[in-house]
């Protein structure tokens, strides 16, 4: 059970590329990586979670014994998301309206080599994501201005895929250090309807600019504007870009039974996401007036975070882990900046949506009990503060569940064949918003979710 890991969730990445993305628990961030971390409340800074340690604290790779592990794994996420119009009682549900909603698959691909004091790893992991699709006939597709049923779909999909190249070194019997350099791919689909009242509010706050604005505002009986970018596929997004990320970490053995871990995840450096898009003006007299062009999501990054953890083995069978993480959302999600440029004329529209995400504290607690040579049982608890204020809740970008209970099990078919399973339930969370410019009608977002993770590891 303790041999070194070359963990390779190949099926994970393939599924990730052909299936969509998970609704995250910690705003856009996934709450755990792999079934061991997930089942122990998302912990992993100070204990062995296999190759998934590349995504939490690369120094933990040297906790694995010498050898190689090859594994396949996948996370399966199902979400229950409902948006309620608190004035009319109407509801919109993200279920079976298209490719952007779940269930979602977030696979893993990784390989780790461990020998004496060293460990090297490479992998591919879905690290962040969200996905919704409400269809084209709910109240979200109807304007408040002139009460127009636009027939336009409201949706979103975000996927952040990381490919870490990791190295770890055991400096002494007590201290180990590690680092990862990551290739980061970010992709987004977006179908966003803004009522004329929202457009007016954005313009009044200086959040709407560009040479297309006069033409947009001069449309007769303007009721709404609609921005759409969609790759019309089961995965990825109509706008995307590659960039870099990274992590550094260490572990320190405080005593034979107690280990301390520290890790820092750097803010990504991806820059602008770009792709083909359409901008549609909704007129009460002329109908929908589409313009084709291109769109950029400006400086769309994932945040840095600092994590500390401790693991204590009460006996050779029973251990408890606790992690604390501070996520610096305010540095990357104050505003969502969008630019649309019309084909031919080159006229543009620049939009800044106020998200005002706050830095958050995340707490994870997990326990593990080794029943015998074959069975290991795990349980945990995960709590993350809500990153968005109520005024930043956008129906197509949910990020509301904060509290999870988790559990899982491992079974060793032999010393070289292990299957791990984890399950997490995110309790339903309700958040209300009646603030322009994010929403033109008072809404209540209700969101719960279940995450299952399974992985098979073959050791050589």
């Amino acid at each position: 059970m303790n041999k070194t890991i070359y963990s390779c969730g190949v099926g994970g990445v393939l599924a990730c590329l052909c299936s969509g993305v998970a609704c995250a628990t910690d705003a856009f961030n996934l709450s755990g990586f792999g079934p061991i971390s997930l089942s122990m409340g998302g912990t992993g800074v100070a204990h062995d979670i296999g190759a998934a340690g590349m995504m939490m604290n690369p120094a933990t790779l040297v906790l694995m014994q010498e050898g190689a592990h090859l594994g396949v794994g996948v996370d399966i996420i199902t979400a229950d998301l409902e948006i309620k119009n608190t004035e009319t009682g109407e509801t919109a549900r993200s279920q079976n309206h298209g490719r952007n909603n779940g269930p979602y698959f977030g696979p893993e691909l990784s390989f780790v080599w461990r020998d004496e004091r060293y460990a090297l790893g490479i992998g591919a992991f879905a690290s962040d994501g969200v996905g919704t699709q409400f269809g084209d006939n709910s109240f979200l597709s109807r304007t408040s201005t002139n009460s127009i049923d636009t027939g336009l779909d409201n949706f979103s999909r975000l996927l952040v895929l990381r490919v870490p190249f990791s190295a770890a070194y055991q400096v002494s019997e007590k201290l180990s250090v590690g680092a990862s350099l990551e290739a980061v791919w970010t992709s987004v689909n977006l179908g966003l309807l803004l009522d004329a009242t929202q457009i007016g509010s954005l313009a009044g706050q200086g959040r709407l600019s560009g040479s297309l604005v006069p033409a947009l505002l001069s449309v007769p009986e303007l009721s709404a504007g609609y921005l759409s970018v969609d790759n019309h596929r089961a995965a990825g997004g109509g706008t995307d870009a590659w960039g870099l990320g990274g992590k550094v970490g260490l572990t320190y053995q405080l005593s034979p039974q107690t280990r301390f871990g520290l890790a820092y995840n750097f803010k990504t450096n991806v820059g602008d996401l770009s792709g083909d898009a359409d901008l549609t003006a909704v007129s009460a007299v002329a109908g929908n007036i589409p313009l084709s062009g291109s769109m950029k999501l400006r400086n769309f990054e994932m945040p840095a975070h600092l994590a500390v953890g401790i693991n204590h083995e009460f006996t050779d069978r029973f251990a408890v882990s606790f992690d604390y993480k501070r996520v610096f959302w305010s540095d990357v999600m104050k505003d969502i900046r969008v630019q649309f440029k019309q084909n031919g004329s080159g006229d543009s529209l620049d939009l800044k949506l106020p998200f005002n995400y706050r830095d958050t504290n995340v707490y994870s607690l997990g326990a593990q009990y080794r029943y015998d040579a074959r069975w290991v049982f795990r349980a945990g608890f995960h709590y993350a503060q809500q990153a968005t204020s109520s005024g930043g809740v956008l129906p197509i970008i949910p990020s509301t569940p904060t509290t999870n209970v988790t559990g899982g099990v491992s079974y060793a078919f032999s010393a070289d064949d292990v299957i791990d399973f984890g399950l997490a339930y995110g309790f339903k969370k309700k958040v209300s918003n009646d603030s322009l410019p994010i929403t033109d009608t008072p809404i209540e977002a209700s969101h719960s979710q279940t995450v299952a993770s399974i992985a098979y590891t073959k050791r050589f």
Side-chain angles (χ1 to χ4, degrees), residues 336-357:
I336 298 293
R337 298 171 56 197
V338 181
Q339 182 188 71
F340 175 83
K341 182 175 288 188
Q342 185 181 5
N343 289 340
S345 71
D347 289 335
S348 64
L349 181 147
D350 292 277
L351 172 68
K352 290 197 299 183
L353 286 172
F355 266 37
N356 295 316
Y357 272 32

Side-chain angles (χ1 to χ4, degrees), residues 1-22:
M1 294 277 298
N2 296 320
K3 263 184 148 180
T4 309
I5 299 184
Y6 294 87
S7 196
C8 179
V10 178
V13 167
L14 294 178
C16 190
L17 294 176
C18 64
S19 300
V21 56

Side-chain angles (χ1 to χ4, degrees), residues 132-148:
T132 65
Q133 191 147 12
F134 292 96
D136 56 13
N137 59 3
S138 75
F139 76 89
L140 295 174
S141 297
R142 185 177 64 242
T143 67
S144 296
T145 303
N146 299 319
S147 191
I148 304 297

Side-chain angles (χ1 to χ4, degrees), residues 323-336:
D323 287 0
Y324 164 78
K325 182 166 64 176
R326 180 71 171 176
V327 187
F328 304 106
W329 283 108
S330 63
D331 185 43
V332 296
M333 289 293 164
K334 177 176 173 57
D335 297 313
I336 298 293

Side-chain angles (χ1 to χ4, degrees), residues 3 19 59 65 76 97 150 152 165 187-188 200 256 258 288 293 314 329 337 350 380 391 412 414 435:
K3 263 184 148 180
S19 300
Q65 294 183 358
I76 304 169
H97 294 292
T150 65
L152 298 171
F165 301 86
S187 63
V188 169
T258 306
N288 295 345
F314 289 90
W329 283 108
R337 298 171 56 197
D350 292 277
S414 70
S435 303

Side-chain angles (χ1 to χ4, degrees), residues 64-285:
M64 301 181 291
Q65 294 183 358
E66 294 183 6
H69 291 199
L70 183 65
V72 291
V74 63
D75 298 335
I76 304 169
I77 302 95
T78 58
D80 182 7
L81 176 63
E82 180 181 272
I83 306 298
K84 180 179 179 180
N85 184 327
T86 57
E87 277 188 346
T88 66
E90 295 171 281
T91 60
R93 298 180 69 90
S94 177
Q95 288 184 323
N96 299 316
H97 294 292
R99 296 185 178 93
N100 294 296
N101 59 306
Y104 307 99
F105 299 88
E108 302 168 6
L109 171 62
S110 57
F111 179 83
V112 176
W113 171 78
R114 169 81 162 90
D115 183 46
E116 296 182 351
R117 291 179 175 269
Y118 299 91
L120 299 174
I122 185 173
F125 298 83
S127 65
D128 309 83
V130 67
T132 65
Q133 191 147 12
F134 292 96
D136 56 13
N137 59 3
S138 75
F139 76 89
L140 295 174
S141 297
R142 185 177 64 242
T143 67
S144 296
T145 303
N146 299 319
S147 191
I148 304 297
D149 288 319
T150 65
L152 298 171
D153 198 354
N154 286 265
F155 60 89
S156 70
R157 184 167 70 208
L158 163 69
L159 170 63
V160 180
L161 179 71
R162 298 179 186 243
V163 181
F165 301 86
S166 301
Y169 177 67
Q170 186 177 354
V171 180
S172 66
E173 290 185 358
K174 292 186 175 182
L175 176 65
S176 297
V177 296
S180 294
L181 177 65
E182 300 167 344
V184 180
W185 179 59
T186 303
S187 63
V188 169
N189 278 342
L190 183 68
L192 176 63
L193 182 70
L194 293 174
D195 187 79
T197 57
Q198 294 172 274
I199 295 172
S201 177
L202 289 165
Q205 296 176 22
R207 294 179 171 275
L208 188 66
S209 60
S211 54
L212 269 176
V213 173
L216 176 65
L217 297 181
S218 66
V219 170
E221 296 290 324
L222 178 68
S223 300
Y226 177 71
L227 187 63
S228 174
V229 55
D230 190 354
N231 66 348
H232 302 289
R233 297 175 184 170
T239 62
D240 65 351
W242 282 91
L244 294 175
K247 296 177 178 67
V248 294
L250 63 83
T251 64
Y252 188 81
Q253 201 74 35
L254 299 174
S255 73
Q257 293 78 34
T258 306
R259 185 184 305 109
F260 169 80
L262 175 68
Y264 184 79
N265 176 76
F266 294 94
K267 182 176 79 171
T268 60
N269 183 17
V270 175
D272 298 344
L273 314 186
S274 60
D276 295 333
D278 293 309
L279 176 65
T280 301
V282 180
S283 167
V285 294

